[in-house]
């Protein structure tokens, strides 16, 4: 213990003398004697470094993670492959250690990363501008709501219930703070109903929030939803997964004003929930209200190419009454992982990856739907995720699958009580045909066991 304690007895004596205390007991004299610990702390004796390493390894081995199981769990975070070059580059000290990587006088490389990242996100989403990232997807959607309210001065949000429940909860929490009404529109058969959405949009609606593919993995009729919002001049915020935009039309093509989402799928591992990064792209007309910061390209006095921090709407950088964002930082290292990953994939690679996931998802949907006691919940076209309904208690089935080393997916009933005994299944490029077949076989046994009460507790 003493090895890691910086202060010596002489240090402590000097500090006590400086404050006029004669001893530690004198320092704590104001604390009643009855609540003071009158003995040494009950700590084990010290261990050698290798013993501590072994102990921590034993503790770590108690965790179950996606490298030790076959994971079909998604619902917002996904088990995608991260190439080795991502870690090789982001762990370089000039990227890994800077406290404020955007300071132009010290980090042209950091600013160039932001510029390249912004360019990639703008191209993927089909929108004019991107900031340099925000904390994560849900807070990006909430920030988009605040922007919309500032832009048109209205005080009502309309959000589809096909949007990820965590995003909706974050939006509601933030909306409560600035007195905005949030109206949710039910999803029918896994999709947002354009007519139902149109019924609740009016002249007070600041923004309409949709997601594509939505929480159930279903591909929405984005144009119909955008048209319903534009009929009342409301802004449209679309949540998207950037990894799907290699095969799906970008939100900007439909007239979406703001596209936000979670960037974890781009070169960031699950890591027990984070950290990751949120992306935020918008039409050019909204650039001066965007949260976060934007890096731009320029030339120096000698005509050499360089990068600068171009725009921030935070009150620290502009007049307080004109500030539209209190976001202090970007997730620069995670966003760097994202742009490295996109560079590794390339323009053709992201298309091929998307097509691969579409094919494997279609295969999984077919074989899982053929399992006795399992049915596909919705008929809509899907990307990477789909919902299945079980003829057995969902908890018992998932526990039984876990015994086979399989994470069967996310129980949708946790957020949608009307969908009891349903699972959201995610298929990434890491899930092989053999693993999908094994999942189907194990699922058949788990459903049968759970129905009869044999095996895991139902």
């Amino acid at each position: 213990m003493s090895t890691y304690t910086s202060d010596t007895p002489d240090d402590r004596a000097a500090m006590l003398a400086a404050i006029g205390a004669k001893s530690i007991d004198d320092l704590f004299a104001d604390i009643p004697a009855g609540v003071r610990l009158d003995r040494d702390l009950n700590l084990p004796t010290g261990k050698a470094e290798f013993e501590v390493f072994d102990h921590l390894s034993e503790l770590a081995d108690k965790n179950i993670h996606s490298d030790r199981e076959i994971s079909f769990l998604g619902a917002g975070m996904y088990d995608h492959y991260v190439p080795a070059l991502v870690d090789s580059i982001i762990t370089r000290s000039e990227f890994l250690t800077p406290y404020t990587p955007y300071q132009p006088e010290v980090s042209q490389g950091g600013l160039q990363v932001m510029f390249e990242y912004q360019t990639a996100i703008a191209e993927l989403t089909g929108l004019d501008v991107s900031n340099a990232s925000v904390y994560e997807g849900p807070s990006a959607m909430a920030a988009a709501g605040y922007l919309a309210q500032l832009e048109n001065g209205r005080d009502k949000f309309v959000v589809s219930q096909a949007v990820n429940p965590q995003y909706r909860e974050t939006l509601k929490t933030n909306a409560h703070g600035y007195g905005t009404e949030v109206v949710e529109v039910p999803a029918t058969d896994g999709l947002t109903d354009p007519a139902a959405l149109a019924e609740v949009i009016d002249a007070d609606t600041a923004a309409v929030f949709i997601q594509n593919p939505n929480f159930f993995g279903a591909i929405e009729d984005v144009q119909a939803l955008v048209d319903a919002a534009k009929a009342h001049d409301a802004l449209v915020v679309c949540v998207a997964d950037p990894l799907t935009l290699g095969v799906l039309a970008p939100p900007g093509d439909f007239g979406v004003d703001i596209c936000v989402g979670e960037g974890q799928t781009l070169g960031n591992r699950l890591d027990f929930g984070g950290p990751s990064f949120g992306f935020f792209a918008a039409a050019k007309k909204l650039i001066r209200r965007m949260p976060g910061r934007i890096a731009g390209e320029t030339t120096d006095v000698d005509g050499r190419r360089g990068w600068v921090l171009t725009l921030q709407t935070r009150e620290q950088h502009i007049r307080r009454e004109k500030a539209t964002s209190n976001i202090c930082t970007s997730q620069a290292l995670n966003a760097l992982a994202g742009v490295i990953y996109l560079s590794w994939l390339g323009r053709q690679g992201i298309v091929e990856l998307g097509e691969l996931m579409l094919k494997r998802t279609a295969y999984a949907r077919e074989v899982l739907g053929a399992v006795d006691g399992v049915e596909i919940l919705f008929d809509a076209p899907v990307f990477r995720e789909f919902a299945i309904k079980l003829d057995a208690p969902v908890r018992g089935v998932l526990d039984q699958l876990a015994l086979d080393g399989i994470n069967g997916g996310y129980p949708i009933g946790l957020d949608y009580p009307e969908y009891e005994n349903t699972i959201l299944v995610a298929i990434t490029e890491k899930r092989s045909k053999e693993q999908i077949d094994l999942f189907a076989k194990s699922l058949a046994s788990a459903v049968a066991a759970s129905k009869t009460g044999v095996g895991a507790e139902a």
Side-chain angles (χ1 to χ4, degrees):
M1 185 69 183
S2 61
T3 305
Y4 302 100
T5 304
S6 59
D7 59 325
T8 66
D10 288 343
D11 293 332
R12 289 193 289 271
M15 287 187 285
L16 288 170
I19 61 175
K22 296 178 181 177
S23 65
I24 292 293
D25 289 337
D26 190 21
L27 176 64
F28 296 144
D30 290 337
I31 301 175
V35 298
R36 286 190 237 167
L37 187 65
D38 190 23
R39 58 173 174 77
D40 292 335
L41 291 174
N42 184 22
L43 295 174
T45 57
K47 292 179 180 291
E49 182 177 315
F50 69 90
E51 292 176 312
V52 174
F53 183 85
D54 288 344
H55 178 61
L56 293 177
S57 295
E58 290 174 5
L59 294 177
D61 285 343
K62 293 182 180 180
N63 291 316
I64 298 175
H65 50 81
S66 58
D67 289 338
R68 292 181 52 191
E69 64 180 4
I70 304 172
S71 178
F72 293 89
L73 179 64
M77 304 288 274
Y78 302 91
D79 182 27
H80 285 289
Y81 176 68
V82 178
L85 69 86
V86 171
D87 283 343
S88 177
I89 296 176
I90 67 171
T91 53
R92 289 177 62 95
S93 61
E94 57 267 48
F95 292 129
L96 187 63
T97 62
Y99 167 60
T100 50
Y102 48 85
Q103 297 292 355
E105 68 276 19
V106 295
S107 183
Q108 278 292 290
L111 289 166
Q112 183 179 359
V113 165
M114 291 181 185
F115 182 80
E116 302 290 354
Y117 162 82
Q118 293 165 190
T119 302
I121 293 297
E123 288 187 0
L124 279 173
T125 59
L127 287 163
D128 302 316
V129 292
S130 161
N131 69 12
S133 78
V134 291
Y135 295 119
E136 28 66 37
S139 63
M141 188 171 101
Y146 186 53
L147 184 157
Q149 192 177 32
L150 289 173
E151 177 67 12
N152 55 32
R154 302 177 182 180
D155 56 3
K156 176 181 173 182
F157 294 153
V158 174
V159 55
S160 166
Q161 286 188 348
V163 173
N164 187 309
Q166 294 180 352
Y167 284 64
R168 285 188 277 125
E169 285 302 310
T170 305
L171 178 69
K172 283 187 239 179
T173 300
N174 282 264
H176 176 75
Y178 36 83
T180 303
E181 178 188 11
V182 178
V183 178
E184 293 194 344
V185 178
T188 304
D189 296 329
L191 289 169
T192 307
D193 182 347
L197 192 78
E199 284 184 7
V200 297
I201 301 173
D202 54 30
D204 294 328
T205 304
V208 175
F209 299 82
I210 60 176
Q211 180 176 350
N212 189 51
N214 65 28
F215 179 71
F216 305 109
I219 299 173
E220 298 272 15
D221 183 352
V222 177
Q223 192 62 66
L225 303 179
V226 170
D227 290 344
K230 295 297 182 183
H232 293 277
D233 294 326
L235 295 181
V236 180
V237 180
C238 181
V239 178
D241 182 338
L243 204 53
T244 69
L245 298 177
V247 293
L248 298 181
D253 285 5
F254 299 104
V256 165
D257 301 286
I258 304 170
C259 181
V260 296
E262 174 59 52
Q264 178 267 324
T265 56
L266 304 180
N268 285 259
R269 293 185 178 82
L270 290 170
D271 285 338
F272 299 101
S276 181
F277 69 92
F279 70 89
F280 193 115
K284 189 175 181 179
K285 64 181 180 181
L286 304 173
I287 189 171
R288 291 191 176 276
R289 297 191 187 279
M290 287 178 64
R293 58 177 58 89
I294 295 175
E297 182 180 12
T298 187
T299 55
D300 66 10
V301 293
D302 297 321
R304 295 175 300 186
R305 190 185 186 201
W307 290 268
V308 295
L309 202 57
T310 303
L311 187 64
Q312 291 191 101
T313 55
R314 183 185 173 203
E315 77 278 7
Q316 180 179 338
H317 301 93
I318 61 177
R319 283 181 293 175
R320 187 184 185 106
E321 65 273 17
K322 290 184 177 295
T324 59
S325 168
N326 193 36
I327 290 180
C328 302
T329 188
S330 60
Q331 294 286 79
L333 192 67
N334 298 91
L336 170 61
V339 76
I340 294 169
Y341 178 81
L342 287 170
S343 301
W344 173 75
L345 270 180
R347 290 181 181 273
Q348 187 60 31
I350 195 170
V351 174
E352 293 174 355
L353 177 59
E355 291 174 344
L356 175 64
M357 285 194 288
L358 281 173
K359 290 176 182 175
R360 292 194 178 173
T361 302
Y363 177 74
R365 209 179 184 199
E366 179 182 350
V367 298
L368 296 183
V371 172
D372 186 32
V374 177
E375 66 175 286
I376 303 300
L377 188 59
F378 304 124
D379 294 329
V382 296
F383 187 104
R384 190 177 51 199
E385 284 180 296
F386 58 93
I388 57 175
K389 183 173 177 56
L390 310 176
D391 187 18
V394 66
R395 189 69 263 166
V397 171
L398 290 175
D399 288 347
Q400 191 71 25
L401 288 168
L403 297 177
D404 292 336
I406 295 173
N407 188 328
Y410 183 76
I412 300 176
L414 293 175
D415 301 295
Y416 301 85
E418 65 272 30
Y419 296 132
E420 186 182 12
N421 295 332
T422 58
I423 302 175
L424 190 63
V425 178
I427 308 293
T428 70
E429 77 282 6
K430 289 179 69 176
R431 299 289 76 84
S432 65
K433 177 179 180 298
E434 291 74 21
Q435 290 177 336
I436 294 170
D437 290 340
L438 178 63
F439 182 26
K441 181 179 178 181
S442 185
L443 182 63
S445 299
V447 170
S450 193
K451 286 170 66 176
T452 59
V454 176
E457 182 181 353

